[in-house]
Amino acid sequence: MAKFHLDIVTPVKRIDSGQVHMVVVPGTEGDFGVLAGHAPVLSTIRPGVIEVYREPGAEPQRIEVDGGLAEVNEAGLTILTGDLSLTD
Amino acid sequence: MPSLKSLKTRIASVRSTQKITKAMNLVATAKLRGAQAAALAGRPFAEGAARVIGNLALNMVGPEAPKLLAGTGREQTHLLLVITSERGLCGAYNSNIVRLARRKADALLAEGKTVKLYVVGRKGRAQLVRTHGRHIVATRSLEGRKMLTFEEARTLSDDVVARFHAGEFDVAHILFARYQSALTQIPTDERLIPVRRPEVTDTARLPASIEFEPSPEAILTELLPRSVAVHVYQSLLESRASEEGARMTAMDAASRNAGEMIGRLTLTYNRTRQAAITKELIEIISGAEAL
């Protein structure tokens, strides 16, 4: 299964999450899933929860964000957000 | 000639002062390291935001551009956000910032502009109140905060942005001490609002096929206040690092001075003691000779 690179960047620190299978992003216009090879997109995020699936079918890691920006390009997915708390 | 007793007390008091300055030096060193690390950790966000803003700003010059980016179209009222420290004993750190703020304010006033001051930090307020008291529109104190959180910066910048939208000023500058090294801090003046348009290099350009959700304008509206907050946060961290650097240097000099003073006092003490002994001996000898 193809994977892609996820980067979560906050003003306080940068969390390099490495290679992941799928990420569900709470976009302002609705949630969207990002898989490897997703078309380039720049979307705002509403306050909510990002779900990170490291493996297909695995339990997602849930990350709360207070809004921000998600950018998908060839390099992978980059999320710019504020403070975040990790809930496993 | 001071008495032996009073010399002893002086030496003890200088020695305890030296202990304090030495401890403060060590504490400042540790805090400096923390502030430096935090400033570095925030850089990727600032770079990422600058890249996106730069790209989006390219196609946005019209009236629909967000005010935070395009400005109000006037340059009449300037807000100076002056960042100083809460505590003293850090050499000329605060005076340097205040001097820059005064010069900047006076230059703007000479051009016939309106100047508003927003002072962060107790030390700067105390100094600025004397000369530019009537220009101060707001002050904020970060007293008692051990670590500077992003929330803190966010509250501060949200306040500034709200004032901007309320039409209180047209241009905002942020004045803080850029950290160069523990020995040098450079008082710096940067434009905060309107947000600077970052240069876009070819490698940082977004692909043409990119989709925007919901729209470039909406993305800028979301990103710009964050970007301002990050700018404020970075500046606060830089000035925190500068403050600790300045304190480190100041306390180092103070410890050295105390050391020299102890040396001089000990010399005087020993001489005085010697003189007293000699005097006693002379008295005994001349007493014996008289017999």
Side-chain angles (χ1 to χ4, degrees):
Chain A
M1 228 15 231
K3 291 193 171 187
F4 64 97
H5 192 257
L6 170 68
D7 234 354
I8 299 177
V9 184
T10 78
V12 184
K13 61 182 168 189
R14 172 178 179 188
I15 304 161
D16 190 343
S17 301
Q19 298 291 317
V20 296
H21 167 64
M22 179 172 82
V23 180
V24 178
V25 182
T28 315
E29 304 211 312
D31 291 9
F32 59 94
V34 179
L35 286 160
H38 195 284
V41 65
L42 201 58
S43 171
T44 49
I45 305 176
R46 60 169 202 277
V49 175
I50 297 176
E51 291 180 347
V52 181
Y53 294 82
R54 298 196 165 271
E55 300 293 335
E59 268 298 298
Q61 185 189 12
R62 297 160 64 79
I63 301 168
E64 274 176 41
V65 294
D66 68 341
L69 189 76
E71 184 192 352
V72 184
N73 54 29
E74 320 81 73
L77 170 64
T78 308
I79 291 170
L80 297 180
T81 181
D83 263 347
L84 46 82
S85 47
L86 290 156
T87 44
D88 287 304
Chain B
M1 200 65 149
S3 73
L4 279 181
K5 173 110 173 62
S6 73
L7 275 172
K8 228 176 191 169
T9 334
R10 286 272 325 264
I11 292 174
S13 105
V14 174
R15 193 162 278 150
S16 72
T17 307
Q18 190 190 29
K19 269 186 199 151
I20 295 170
T21 57
K22 263 190 182 154
M24 282 185 78
N25 179 313
L26 291 178
V27 170
T29 315
K31 283 193 178 165
L32 169 63
R33 209 165 297 146
Q36 263 181 300
L40 275 182
R43 234 161 245 176
F45 187 100
E47 280 162 12
R51 197 172 73 90
V52 174
I53 292 173
N55 272 291
L56 292 178
L58 281 182
N59 350 314
M60 227 169 287
V61 273
E64 78 277 13
K67 263 167 75 182
L68 275 177
L69 187 66
T72 53
R74 288 176 305 143
E75 286 201 348
Q76 183 49 39
T77 313
H78 290 249
L79 181 84
L80 304 185
L81 184 61
V82 186
I83 301 190
T84 60
S85 77
E86 290 301 332
R87 299 203 281 150
L89 292 178
C90 46
Y93 169 78
N94 286 308
S95 309
N96 286 341
I97 298 284
V98 166
R99 192 178 316 131
L100 176 71
R102 282 195 183 129
R103 207 178 301 143
K104 177 96 187 167
D106 290 340
L108 287 169
L109 287 171
E111 287 172 32
K113 314 268 194 213
T114 317
V115 173
K116 292 180 174 177
L117 291 171
Y118 194 130
V119 188
V120 182
R122 201 162 55 88
K123 288 287 163 185
R125 187 181 60 218
Q127 290 192 31
L128 279 169
V129 150
R130 276 187 278 128
T131 50
H132 294 78
R134 62 202 172 85
H135 296 294
I136 296 179
V137 289
T139 57
R140 185 176 287 264
S141 163
L142 298 174
E143 198 154 16
R145 317 285 205 287
K146 280 225 179 67
M147 267 318 282
L148 203 59
T149 61
F150 180 64
E151 270 331 291
E152 214 86 63
R154 183 80 210 232
T155 333
L156 175 58
S157 87
D158 281 351
D159 185 26
V160 173
V161 169
R163 284 165 189 272
F164 175 71
H165 284 302
E168 282 190 34
F169 60 90
D170 303 311
V171 185
H173 306 264
I174 184 162
L175 278 65
F176 66 101
R178 185 170 285 294
Y179 178 82
Q180 181 102 25
S181 72
L183 287 171
T184 22
Q185 300 86 31
I186 306 162
T188 312
D189 155 30
E190 282 177 0
R191 196 179 74 189
L192 187 65
I193 299 172
V195 174
R196 280 176 302 178
R197 286 165 189 254
E199 294 285 320
V200 182
T201 55
D202 280 339
T203 46
R205 203 173 287 271
L206 294 173
S209 60
I210 198 158
E211 262 180 66
F212 296 104
E213 241 179 81
S215 65
E217 290 83 7
I219 291 171
L220 273 183
T221 315
E222 162 80 18
L223 199 56
L224 283 170
R226 276 176 198 275
S227 163
V228 173
V230 169
H231 194 162
V232 171
Y233 181 60
Q234 285 280 335
S235 310
L236 284 174
L237 287 176
E238 286 259 0
S239 39
R240 185 58 71 89
S242 300
E243 181 194 335
E244 297 302 345
R247 180 165 297 127
M248 218 174 92
T249 321
M251 287 302 112
D252 189 50
S255 306
R256 212 164 340 149
N257 281 345
E260 278 169 23
M261 201 181 242
I262 290 173
R264 268 200 315 273
L265 285 173
T266 315
L267 191 67
T268 325
Y269 175 78
N270 287 342
R271 281 207 182 123
T272 319
R273 194 175 54 108
Q274 196 62 55
I277 293 170
T278 315
K279 205 175 109 201
E280 266 177 43
L281 277 176
I282 289 173
E283 275 167 8
I284 292 168
I285 291 166
S286 45
E289 271 175 1
L291 281 176

